[in-house]
Amino acid sequence: MHTVPPGTDPAELARIALTVAIEAGELIMDERPDGLGVAETKSSATDVVTVMDQRSQDHLLARLGGLRPQDGFAGEERGGRAGESGITWVVDPIDGTVNYLYEIPAYAVSVAAVVGDPTTDGTWQPVAGAVVNPVTGERYTAWLEGGSWRAVGDEEPRRLRVAETSLGQALCGTGFGYDADRRAWQAAVLTHVLPQVRDIRRLGSAALDLCRVAEGSLDVYYERGLNPWDIAAGWLVATEAGALVSDLYGHAPRAEMTLAAAPGLHAALGAVLEGAVEQVGPENVR
Ligand code: LIP
């Protein structure tokens, strides 16, 4: 896998990620218009974008462009650029957009610095990142070999470490896509998983799900259909806390599957998911 470009300090990239993620979080909270509606939809009628998704990304693009002008930029919404430094910023300006639209306090700004090509599964990895929930004040940061950290309000950052448990005692996070056929397939797979775990939680933000695995408020998380911007920062927060984050076959997480847990639990749920995927069969792709 790719290495950090010479002269690049992942800890400094994490500090930049946290700074701009906090700013964007304040923006989407403080400047949320009354009667916020759906500005447009993307992959389906439920895949919504608000004007604040775009404004948050525009802010991140401008700030990161000023702080790191040689870096690339890729986000969920419109606007991006190629870079020449070997570092690309991968951002989700509001992860958990439906929660933001409904004012459910489970959404985040996710900012990650990655090496490799984030547009091609399996060829990139995060080296620094931050996930900020602007409603709760939860701030997660991680950098390569620097650990994974969580702070709320004025408290000192606390180092995160995952813990093992049995599959039957595991609180399992997951999520569902915006396409009806994909959701039907995900529901079918869930019928194989639910009897094997303590319970299921569907929080609505992959970035926060991955951070919750790192902090232990979820024991395991899996989801099909995630994009690089959904997982880039949370992936590193989880791995720097000792979790394994991969696809179903031990490779880098990808659209086909993202699975995150402490190593023993990762193997146990991975086996259940492999069996479920085989029994459910392929998605009905229109
Ligand atoms: C969301 C993900 C979540 C998934 C949702 C949606 P968005 O990202 O974070 O895990 O279940 O369907 O994709 O669209 O809010 O940035």
Side-chain angles (χ1 to χ4, degrees):
M1 190 57 94
H2 300 269
T3 58
V4 177
T8 303
D9 177 7
E12 175 59 17
L13 296 178
R15 282 191 289 273
I16 291 171
L18 181 59
T19 298
V20 300
I22 290 170
E23 292 172 0
E26 290 167 349
L27 170 71
I28 66 176
M29 290 282 288
D30 300 343
E31 301 191 29
R32 179 195 177 100
D34 295 336
L36 176 72
V38 172
E40 61 182 292
T41 59
K42 295 184 291 189
S43 64
S44 75
T46 56
D47 186 0
V48 297
V49 180
T50 72
V51 63
M52 296 309 291
D53 288 86
Q54 192 62 58
R55 285 195 58 198
S56 173
Q57 180 163 313
D58 293 346
H59 176 82
L60 293 167
L61 177 59
R63 287 281 284 134
L64 291 167
L67 292 167
R68 297 275 307 184
Q70 304 306 315
D71 295 352
F73 182 95
E76 179 170 14
E77 313 311 341
R78 284 189 302 275
R81 70 165 175 270
E84 53 201 39
S85 66
I87 293 290
T88 301
W89 293 94
V90 178
V91 308
D92 194 332
I94 304 177
D95 187 56
T97 295
V98 173
N99 287 344
Y100 178 69
L101 190 62
Y102 282 76
E103 298 189 83
I104 297 170
Y107 52 87
V109 177
S110 176
V111 179
V114 312
V115 294
D117 175 8
T119 66
T120 306
D121 277 349
T123 68
W124 62 279
Q125 73 172 73
V127 296
V131 176
V132 172
N133 180 332
V135 187
T136 63
E138 291 168 302
R139 306 184 302 277
Y140 300 89
T141 52
W143 60 97
L144 208 55
E145 299 174 4
S148 174
W149 305 82
R150 176 186 187 269
V152 180
D154 296 332
E155 73 178 29
E156 282 301 305
R158 170 173 64 87
R159 186 148 189 175
L160 301 178
R161 197 75 201 155
V162 293
E164 291 281 8
T165 186
S166 68
L167 188 59
Q169 293 298 308
L171 188 60
C172 176
T174 193
F176 308 106
Y178 293 117
D179 173 78
D181 289 327
R182 160 78 41 94
R183 295 163 70 83
W185 184 89
Q186 290 169 320
V189 168
L190 184 60
T191 62
H192 293 262
V193 173
L194 186 53
Q196 304 286 337
V197 296
R198 173 194 293 273
D199 203 346
I200 289 288
R201 293 291 184 273
R202 196 282 196 258
L203 301 176
S205 163
L208 291 178
D209 286 322
L210 289 164
C211 290
R212 288 188 175 282
V213 169
E215 72 178 14
S217 54
L218 282 177
D219 296 303
V220 61
Y221 167 68
Y222 77 93
E223 186 165 353
R224 169 173 283 195
L226 296 176
N227 294 293
W229 48 80
D230 295 316
I231 67 170
W235 172 5
L236 192 65
V237 171
T239 52
E240 284 294 324
L244 287 184
V245 181
S246 73
D247 66 1
L248 271 187
Y249 309 105
H251 305 303
R254 60 193 66 225
E256 179 199 24
M257 189 62 74
T258 294
L259 170 58
L265 190 51
H266 181 282
L269 186 68
V272 170
L273 280 172
E274 268 196 79
V277 168
E278 191 173 325
Q279 288 187 54
V280 169
E283 285 182 59
N284 173 24
V285 180
R286 284 176 288 176

